[in-house]
Amino acid sequence: MYFIAKYRRGIFNRYRKGMPATEMLLKDLNALFLMVRNAITGKRTKRILAHPHFPSRGSTIYRIAISMGFEVTNKPSRSFDLAIYWEYATERTEYELLESVSAKSEQRVINLYNRNSAKDQVDDWMQGSFGYSTRVDPEAYSGEAVRKSFTNAVHDGRLIHCPTKPETGFIYQKFIDSSVNDKEVMDLRVVIMGKEIPHLYLNYRENDQRFKNVPYRAELCQNIHEQLSEEEVSQLLKFCALAKLEFGELDVLRDCHDQLIYVVDANNTPQGPPKHLPAAQKKQAMESYVSSFRRQFM
């Protein structure tokens, strides 16, 4: 059953039922503006097909498209220049139509084969690319560990003490201490664009909020080698090759004790730049996104 039953029709696209009417109207008006502008200037309207779900206005792909002067649509019946698989789900199931589009038109569909971002799958990719992972056996392991649900982007991590009896639906991972001082922990948000990492973000949270998605400040890092070695960059790109992740962002932690990095989340429908990033750095990040997107996909 496709997502369409859960959606309602706008003028140019299909939107989720819970989307505010004002947001639907703004997106339809933006599509209309681009078509009118291009008709006046004699330019052809360029489109990115994002299917099955229409990206939110805070999503990275939507912001990139607008910055490039592209319209975004989730209706395959309309003409398009690029396509990306955009489904808001941990285990993605609505890919058949895009497979058909790719086969009939020989059109590349970005992220078409990236279909599962569950925590246990992320750990398997990490083992394959780094040679180690975060997973522990809660009944055999002794010491502090973190219990998380398999579902992506839930942010329900909880510090526990092992050994303990495992619960169904959860993964048990090594406790990674990403503290950078006595008050803060820092996550690396690594941007993946094709076969390159154009930039990354440093997201800071208070120590007692380490398992929650509540960063209160962020920094842009355009020289990725300030935070990652050449070997680590190679390992992260190998991770993405195993995951078939061509467009997305990785949540990466560096343990302050063993100094190793650990991929704890792989996001194939990223939102960005981070809201706590200074305005000047947001502009720089968007320029980096667009330049990298053009190099890798156009």
Side-chain angles (χ1 to χ4, degrees):
M1 183 71 177
Y2 283 95
F3 78 99
I4 291 174
K6 302 175 184 177
Y7 274 53
R8 57 183 178 181
R9 184 184 298 276
I11 300 171
F12 299 106
N13 302 291
R14 291 182 182 274
Y15 305 110
R16 60 181 173 82
K17 285 186 176 180
M19 183 177 289
T22 52
E23 184 174 348
M24 290 175 57
L25 178 61
L26 284 172
K27 288 178 175 176
D28 275 337
L29 285 175
N30 182 70
L32 179 61
F33 167 77
L34 289 173
M35 286 190 287
V36 171
R37 184 196 67 180
N38 291 343
I40 293 172
T41 60
K43 294 182 179 179
R44 183 177 65 84
T45 300
K46 294 184 178 181
R47 294 188 185 92
I48 293 177
L49 171 68
H51 188 84
H53 299 160
F54 195 93
S56 70
R57 59 185 170 185
S59 66
T60 305
I61 191 63
Y62 189 80
R63 290 178 172 179
I64 289 172
I66 296 303
S67 296
M68 295 194 306
F70 276 59
E71 181 193 342
V72 180
T73 183
N74 64 343
K75 293 176 69 174
S77 58
R78 303 182 72 195
S79 63
F80 55 91
D81 300 88
L82 292 167
I84 185 168
Y85 183 18
W86 199 267
E87 181 180 355
Y88 291 110
T90 298
E91 294 187 27
R92 309 168 101 187
T93 59
E94 299 181 28
Y95 50 80
E96 290 182 3
L97 190 147
L98 286 175
E99 280 188 337
S100 175
V101 166
S102 179
K104 289 179 181 178
S105 64
E106 297 185 356
Q107 168 75 52
R108 176 183 181 178
V109 178
I110 302 167
N111 280 356
L112 178 58
Y113 298 102
N114 177 256
R115 298 175 181 175
N116 189 343
S117 55
K119 295 291 190 300
D120 54 342
Q121 182 64 76
V122 168
D123 224 48
D124 288 345
W125 293 326
M126 191 178 169
Q127 184 68 49
S129 53
F130 286 81
Y132 60 88
S133 72
T134 67
R135 196 177 313 186
V136 299
D137 179 347
E139 293 183 292
Y141 185 74
S142 180
E144 288 185 319
V146 178
R147 190 201 73 171
K148 297 178 183 177
S149 66
F150 289 127
T151 304
N152 188 27
V154 174
H155 305 289
D156 63 346
R158 195 179 82 184
L159 194 63
I160 62 169
H161 291 275
C162 293
T164 187
K165 186 176 180 180
E167 297 178 59
T168 302
F170 293 92
I171 186 172
Y172 293 80
Q173 299 175 299
K174 168 188 173 179
F175 169 55
I176 303 161
D177 187 356
S178 60
S179 301
V180 291
N181 53 52
D182 61 355
K183 295 180 180 179
E184 295 178 311
V185 294
M186 186 264 285
D187 301 355
L188 300 175
R189 184 78 166 181
V190 179
V191 174
I192 301 300
M193 198 75 72
K195 296 182 179 179
E196 69 179 33
I197 299 173
H199 64 269
L200 54 85
Y201 306 107
L202 314 181
N203 283 329
Y204 293 87
R205 297 192 304 280
E206 295 179 351
N207 261 323
D208 60 356
Q209 303 291 313
R210 68 171 65 236
F211 299 123
K212 297 181 181 179
N213 186 28
V214 287
Y216 68 96
R217 69 183 182 96
E219 298 174 13
L220 172 67
C221 177
Q222 291 187 281
N223 181 4
I224 63 172
H225 295 296
E226 291 178 359
Q227 297 293 330
L228 300 169
S229 68
E230 289 281 2
E231 181 182 13
E232 288 168 341
V233 170
S234 177
Q235 289 168 324
L236 289 169
L237 292 176
K238 183 178 180 180
F239 174 99
C240 294
L242 292 174
K244 296 180 173 56
L245 180 67
E246 302 168 285
F247 179 98
E249 294 181 0
L250 306 178
D251 286 335
V252 178
L253 305 181
R254 186 179 296 280
D255 190 284
C256 64
H257 302 293
D258 64 22
Q259 291 302 308
L260 296 176
I261 61 170
Y262 297 83
V263 182
V264 295
D265 226 341
N267 191 345
N268 46 31
T269 54
Q271 303 280 110
K275 66 178 181 179
H276 295 292
L277 202 65
Q281 292 187 19
K282 284 182 180 178
K283 182 179 178 181
Q284 293 172 338
M286 285 309 308
E287 290 171 352
S288 176
Y289 276 130
V290 170
S291 295
S292 183
F293 191 89
R294 290 187 185 278
R295 285 193 300 272
Q296 294 294 310
F297 303 123
M298 298 179 67

